[in-house]
Amino acid sequence: MEAPPLERKLAAIFAADVAGYSRLMEADEEQTLATLSGHRRIVDEAILRHRGRIAGTAGDSVFAEFASVLDAVHAAIEIQHSLAEANNALPEQRQMQFRIGINVGDVMVKDGDIFGDGVNIAARLEGLA
């Protein structure tokens, strides 16, 4: 039985995760999860507001795709500004800093998930942020 053909397209890929997430979880799992939930609402709403689509999440990470790199960059800027405000209300040891990487590249789409070198490059850029 042959696999169905994969959809390929050019996309702006947005990869984000929390710097030091393991340290935060080790210190206080419940509070870290509560903070992450509030911060993820900010992230998710900004992605949608800038015409992005969340393509995957795992723990503290988010992958999204955008048709426009400008939309992806504007979402990232809004997220960083909004999270800075949200972090101001928290003690320094509980603040969460999101790293964000953006890449434009060819992706494969399967069951709503995105795959390919374009996604891998965005993830590597996020790790350097």
Side-chain angles (χ1 to χ4, degrees), residues 13-17 40 43-44 47 52-65 98 109-115 119:
I13 303 108
F14 169 109
D17 81 349
R40 275 297 309 277
V43 171
D44 295 359
I47 289 169
R53 181 185 74 82
I54 296 172
T57 64
D60 64 320
S61 67
V62 179
F63 281 95
E65 69 169 306
F98 271 73
V109 182
K110 182 177 185 240
D111 299 327
D113 290 330
I114 54 176
F115 302 91
V119 176

Side-chain angles (χ1 to χ4, degrees), residues 91-106:
E92 189 174 334
Q93 69 273 15
R94 288 202 358 242
Q95 294 181 2
M96 287 187 178
Q97 308 297 322
F98 271 73
R99 299 178 294 199
I100 301 173
I102 297 172
N103 179 52
V104 176
D106 189 57

Side-chain angles (χ1 to χ4, degrees), residues 9-129:
K9 64 182 178 179
L10 186 65
I13 303 108
F14 169 109
D17 81 349
V18 176
Y21 184 70
S22 296
R23 175 188 53 79
L24 292 166
M25 285 297 278
E26 183 179 314
D28 188 337
E29 289 178 328
E30 290 179 11
Q31 189 57 56
T32 297
L33 186 56
T35 302
L36 177 63
S37 295
H39 281 31
R40 275 297 309 277
R41 271 192 297 281
I42 292 168
V43 171
D44 295 359
E45 289 170 4
I47 289 169
L48 296 175
R49 218 177 357 269
H50 290 278
R51 295 177 292 282
R53 181 185 74 82
I54 296 172
T57 64
D60 64 320
S61 67
V62 179
F63 281 95
E65 69 169 306
F66 294 80
S68 162
V69 71
L70 285 175
D71 286 343
V73 170
H74 289 154
I77 292 168
E78 179 183 326
I79 288 165
Q80 294 296 24
H81 285 273
S82 297
L83 290 178
E85 288 180 26
N87 277 329
N88 283 337
L90 298 172
E92 189 174 334
Q93 69 273 15
R94 288 202 358 242
Q95 294 181 2
M96 287 187 178
Q97 308 297 322
F98 271 73
R99 299 178 294 199
I100 301 173
I102 297 172
N103 179 52
V104 176
D106 189 57
V107 297
M108 297 177 290
V109 182
K110 182 177 185 240
D111 299 327
D113 290 330
I114 54 176
F115 302 91
D117 198 43
V119 176
N120 296 337
I121 292 170
R124 286 195 296 266
L125 289 171
E126 170 267 312
L128 297 172

